[in-house]
Amino acid sequence: GQNIDQPTEMTATEGAIVQINCTYQTSGFNGLFWYQQHAGEAPTFLSYNVLDGLEEKGRFSSFLSRSKGYSYLLLKELQMKDSASYLCAARGDYKLSFGAGTTVTVRA
Amino acid sequence: EAQVTQNPRYLITVTGKKLTVTCSQNMNHEYMSWYRQDPGLGLRQIYYSMNVEVTDKGDVPEGYKVSRKEKRNFPLILESPSPNQTSLYFCASSLRQGMNTEAFFGQGTRLTVV
């Protein structure tokens, strides 16, 4: 089965850094994804990790530890447009399972 | 433009009246799936399809049917909708499973069953 946990809400100031943690228990694990979803819109792909370590992509970085069943998404130099829900998703057994999402609010 | 197209975007229907939500992708993707999204529960997979004529249940399949007669289309069928199926539905496709392939999502269908 699949079990994915992430915090419900986080608030940060414009220009700051925020780290969103995700823990997962997934049978047949073969990849961890992060998606961004603005209110009322479709999720859009941010990052993918399958090996341990850090993947950096501009202002966004994602980290994976397979042995700990743990990932985080790091958002740097926060901008107002980064206010959105961030979804952690683990792939295993032919399924992509999502956490409930973390709503990030960026304040001026 | 590469995309996943769902129709309709919004639908209000009555209990028991059969409906179909269409999903089409133009990227020649093998893998397609349907999710429903409810507050506090996130995206939950309803059904998925590995390829034409190959479908399987996700985590919440009760009350839904799907078919995959062509590679590009993956309709979601509610034979007898009930109010607990009021939700935001997303169709998604990816090149195939088991590889570093991201899922592309349709724009969503907001369904209300009264």
Side-chain angles (χ1 to χ4, degrees), chain B residues 49-62:
Chain B
S49 170
M50 302 277 284
N51 213 324
V52 176
E53 301 293 1
V54 182
T55 63
D56 207 347
K57 296 177 181 178
D59 297 317
V60 288
E62 292 76 23

Side-chain angles (χ1 to χ4, degrees), chain B residues 47-86:
Chain B
Y47 268 94
Y48 64 94
S49 170
M50 302 277 284
N51 213 324
V52 176
E53 301 293 1
V54 182
T55 63
D56 207 347
K57 296 177 181 178
D59 297 317
V60 288
E62 292 76 23
Y64 304 95
K65 286 173 57 176
V66 293
S67 69
R68 187 90 182 274
K69 294 186 172 63
E70 309 162 285
K71 202 170 189 179
R72 63 183 295 125
N73 296 324
F74 190 46
L76 179 70
I77 303 154
L78 284 72
E79 294 271 3
S80 182
S82 62
N84 64 12
Q85 292 178 297
T86 292

Side-chain angles (χ1 to χ4, degrees), chain B:
Chain B
E1 180 190 353
Q3 59 186 6
V4 179
T5 304
Q6 289 179 231
N7 279 296
R9 292 288 310 278
Y10 302 91
L11 179 60
I12 301 175
T13 190
V14 296
T15 299
K17 185 176 181 182
K18 181 179 178 180
L19 66 91
T20 299
V21 184
T22 63
C23 174
S24 181
Q25 50 93 5
N26 62 0
M27 295 169 280
N28 202 35
H29 284 173
E30 291 183 358
Y31 188 92
M32 297 184 74
S33 58
W34 276 102
Y35 293 86
R36 60 177 290 173
Q37 187 172 36
D38 302 289
L41 297 177
L43 285 159
R44 294 180 292 167
Q45 192 176 51
I46 302 169
Y47 268 94
Y48 64 94
S49 170
M50 302 277 284
N51 213 324
V52 176
E53 301 293 1
V54 182
T55 63
D56 207 347
K57 296 177 181 178
D59 297 317
V60 288
E62 292 76 23
Y64 304 95
K65 286 173 57 176
V66 293
S67 69
R68 187 90 182 274
K69 294 186 172 63
E70 309 162 285
K71 202 170 189 179
R72 63 183 295 125
N73 296 324
F74 190 46
L76 179 70
I77 303 154
L78 284 72
E79 294 271 3
S80 182
S82 62
N84 64 12
Q85 292 178 297
T86 292
S87 186
L88 178 59
Y89 291 85
F90 286 102
C91 178
S93 75
S94 56
L95 186 58
R96 59 181 66 89
Q97 278 295 82
M99 292 178 61
N100 175 13
T101 57
E102 67 189 83
F104 293 83
F105 285 82
Q107 288 305 103
T109 296
R110 189 167 291 281
L111 173 66
T112 303
V113 184
V114 298

Side-chain angles (χ1 to χ4, degrees), chain A residues 60-85:
Chain A
F60 294 173
S61 304
S62 57
F63 172 84
L64 177 67
S65 169
R66 293 177 67 128
S67 61
K68 294 181 180 177
Y70 168 70
S71 173
Y72 68 72
L73 179 69
L74 196 68
L75 286 64
K76 294 178 271 192
E77 301 169 18
L78 279 173
Q79 302 175 10
M80 299 300 287
K81 67 178 182 180
D82 297 330
S83 291
S85 183

